[in-house]
Structure formats: C-alpha cells, structure tokens
Amino acid sequence: MEIDKNFKGYKTWKEGSKQTIIGEPGDTKEDAIKFMHAHLDYFDLRGDFTFNAGNIVQNGNEFIFTMNRLGQVQVSRKFRLGNGVQVEID
C-alpha cells in the first residue's frame, strides 16, 4: 500500500466518517492499520483523528475504517459498578 500524495478525501472526514483502504492481495488487517497510521502522520492528522482497530471491517483486501475525531469520542455516561449499582454522570 502506498500513500496517494494527492488524496484530499480526509478534508471531508468528520466523526464517524468511513474510509476504505484497498490493499494488495495478501495484505492483512495489521498492514492496513500500519498504512492508516502512516497516512494520518503524512497528512498531519494524528492529533485530529484516530480509529478503533476493533471496528475495522475487512472484505477481502478492502479495509473499512470508522474515523473518530479526537476529543469527540462518544463515551457512555452510564456505568455499572462491581456491586451492581448503576451510576450515571451528568
């Protein structure tokens, strides 16, 4: 996988945007993750966007990433403590 220096699609990314990476035959999910990290670094986006590797969808040699804006990741405000008590943060 090589970075397309003319890629401009990242300019439309927002929280939850999908980005498809098309790998070469034999590329693994780990290869796609390394590529996406290099991509974020190349376009100086590491401080703006991230992704959850557990949410990558693989279809053959296509890898679909769900982009998350740093500082805007949705966190559940309801928690259940070990003793079964449910807590909600306002």
Side-chain angles (χ1 to χ4, degrees):
M1 289 183 252
E2 291 185 27
I3 294 173
D4 177 359
K5 294 170 180 39
N6 297 313
F7 177 73
K8 302 291 184 211
Y10 68 88
K11 292 182 178 184
T12 63
W13 286 351
K14 58 186 179 224
E15 177 68 21
S17 290
K18 304 288 187 197
Q19 180 61 51
T20 301
I21 304 296
I22 300 173
E24 300 293 325
D27 280 343
T28 65
K29 184 177 178 180
E30 290 74 25
D31 294 326
I33 290 169
K34 288 178 189 174
F35 174 79
M36 184 57 87
H37 281 151
H39 185 273
L40 292 172
D41 287 339
Y42 182 84
F43 290 105
D44 196 27
L45 297 171
R46 197 59 96 104
D48 297 323
F49 286 95
T50 189
F51 57 88
N52 181 332
N55 292 339
I56 298 169
V57 176
Q58 182 176 358
N59 184 13
N61 67 330
E62 289 187 1
F63 303 88
I64 303 170
F65 290 75
T66 300
M67 306 309 296
N68 302 115
R69 273 193 85 68
L70 288 173
Q72 295 184 9
V73 176
Q74 298 295 318
V75 177
S76 175
R77 296 185 174 273
K78 292 183 180 180
F79 302 90
R80 187 169 301 279
L81 302 177
N83 62 4
V85 174
Q86 184 167 325
V87 178
E88 187 168 345
I89 300 172
D90 290 330

